[in-house]
Amino acid sequence: MRFEVTTLGTGAALPARGRFPSAQLLNVRERLFLIDCGEGTQERLRMAGVNMNRIARVLITHMHGDHFLGLMGVISSMHLLGRTAPLHVHGPADLREVIELQLRVSKTFLRFPLHIHAVEHRSGAPVFGDEVVTVTGLALRHRVESTGFLFREAPQPRHLIKEKVGLIPHYARSAVKEGQDLVLPDGTVVPNAELTAPADPQRAYAYCSDTAYAPELVPFLKGVDLLYHEATFLEELAARAKETMHSTARQAATMARDAEAGQLLLGHFSSRYKDPEVLREEAVQVFPHTMLAQEGCTFQVGRSAVHA
Ligand SMILES: [Zn+2]
């Protein structure tokens, strides 16, 4: 079942040729989330062949323009495309005022219900959950309040062992998949372990941008399959990173190593780096499984994706 992220924009605040501001599309078992929404995100979605109206939730980390200036365009286009399904937007408390002001002055009356939820700036705080995925906050360190997101897949059912499927009456199959023993009509109990194999592991994805180096997040990121972490600068500009509250590639890699992440995905590259490969080269010295986000590329979330 699908768990993948498409990086729509990988640039930092100032535009660089061929790079766009932050935005990602996350697909967790066909639930679509838009994470951050820099200027031009709707064009990036179109280029990626995504039907915008399939997006149920938008998550915004913080109120810097390169992370939210595209949101009004996305909302307007959803309206023009005839959306009727509700849209949920999660983000900083000030986001509501920004959206409502623009709707008011443009006299736009949306055809669909728009629900804006304020996100609590606290690691582990619940953001959203359903039967497929839970989303919790990550208290990033930045010049304005910035909250990252951790997506954890819900537990999956156990696998029925092929040779044993015939033994299990239809009505009992879902209970057995959930781990219950099978009780046959004559009272015989068949232990679950004889009928099923372990479920696939729960996969997890974390989004950390924008942030200074924040080692206090490591316990919340432990064992995450894919960690997206900003890497605005090289270590030689560590002082600049500290002052602007961003991270270096080396710091991003240190987070991935300490969190025992499966893979690291770097993004939010400063426009001074024409080729972000230098950032990857720095990161792999600390954490080998490091990839670079690229406009329109899709990355799989899961241990099987490592070395793929
Ligand atoms: Zn920022």
Side-chain angles (χ1 to χ4, degrees):
M1 277 183 285
R2 225 187 277 239
F3 195 161
E4 61 186 30
V5 63
T6 303
T7 52
L8 302 166
T10 68
L14 272 177
R17 204 183 170 82
R19 267 182 227 152
F20 298 89
S22 294
Q24 296 192 351
L25 184 79
L26 183 72
N27 181 334
V28 190
R29 290 153 67 173
E30 303 312 319
R31 297 275 196 286
L32 299 192
F33 298 87
L34 181 61
I35 312 170
D36 277 339
C37 190
E39 215 179 320
T41 296
Q42 57 170 321
E43 283 88 345
R44 309 309 304 155
L45 286 166
R46 195 161 307 171
M47 297 283 283
V50 178
N51 174 358
M52 246 183 269
N53 279 339
R54 280 195 58 212
I55 297 169
R57 284 173 199 273
V58 181
L59 309 174
I60 303 290
T61 53
H62 67 295
M63 297 305 288
H64 280 155
D66 57 321
H67 292 255
F68 83 91
L69 283 178
L71 182 56
M72 206 54 228
V74 167
I75 291 174
S76 300
S77 292
M78 285 174 166
H79 171 70
L80 295 172
L81 290 168
R83 182 182 183 112
T84 53
L87 178 71
H88 295 267
V89 176
H90 303 258
D94 288 344
L95 192 58
R96 172 185 294 280
E97 193 182 339
V98 171
I99 295 173
E100 287 182 349
L101 173 72
Q102 293 183 84
L103 289 172
R104 193 171 72 241
V105 298
S106 64
K107 298 191 169 49
T108 305
F109 301 97
L110 296 175
R111 292 191 186 95
F112 59 89
L114 176 66
H115 303 287
I116 305 170
H117 311 271
V119 164
E120 190 185 343
H121 180 68
R122 175 171 66 84
S123 294
V127 174
F128 165 73
D130 67 6
E131 67 279 15
V132 167
V133 61
T134 57
V135 187
T136 49
L138 296 164
L140 307 174
R141 286 195 207 180
H142 200 42
R143 300 197 301 290
V144 296
E145 213 162 74
S146 180
T147 310
F149 301 102
L150 175 67
F151 300 79
R152 195 172 289 283
E153 191 178 25
Q156 306 218 52
R158 296 175 66 83
H159 296 286
L160 297 178
I161 297 171
K162 224 175 173 183
E163 297 72 36
K164 303 288 174 71
V165 174
L167 290 178
I168 313 167
H170 267 287
Y171 66 84
R173 282 193 188 164
S174 53
V176 170
K177 279 180 162 183
E178 257 139 48
Q180 290 180 30
D181 293 339
L182 173 65
V183 184
L184 294 170
D186 67 359
T188 317
V189 177
V190 187
N192 190 279
E194 290 179 17
L195 302 170
T196 65
D200 294 332
Q202 285 169 260
R203 296 167 290 182
Y205 173 66
Y207 180 89
C208 295
S209 185
D210 293 355
T211 187
Y213 177 56
E216 69 277 11
L217 294 178
V218 166
F220 295 93
L221 300 173
K222 213 73 189 175
V224 71
D225 295 281
L226 181 62
L227 169 64
Y228 171 83
H229 199 288
E230 71 133 282
T232 310
F233 301 108
L234 284 171
E235 191 65 21
E236 64 191 21
L237 290 179
R240 177 90 184 121
K242 198 172 175 188
E243 171 191 320
T244 56
M245 299 195 80
H246 284 296
S247 295
T248 67
R250 186 175 186 82
Q251 288 168 338
T254 305
M255 291 292 292
R257 183 196 66 197
D258 294 349
E260 294 165 358
Q263 288 182 294
L264 171 65
L265 182 60
L266 299 179
H268 203 268
F269 312 125
S270 162
S271 59
R272 60 171 52 71
Y273 304 114
K274 299 283 169 280
D275 182 355
E277 179 59 23
V278 287
L279 295 151
R280 200 186 71 86
E281 280 166 11
E282 181 175 281
V284 293
Q285 291 168 25
V286 176
F287 186 78
H289 305 301
T290 301
M291 304 175 291
L292 294 173
Q294 277 182 57
E295 268 65 17
C297 279
T298 299
F299 301 85
Q300 303 302 316
V301 179
R303 292 288 153 158
S304 57
V306 180
H307 311 297

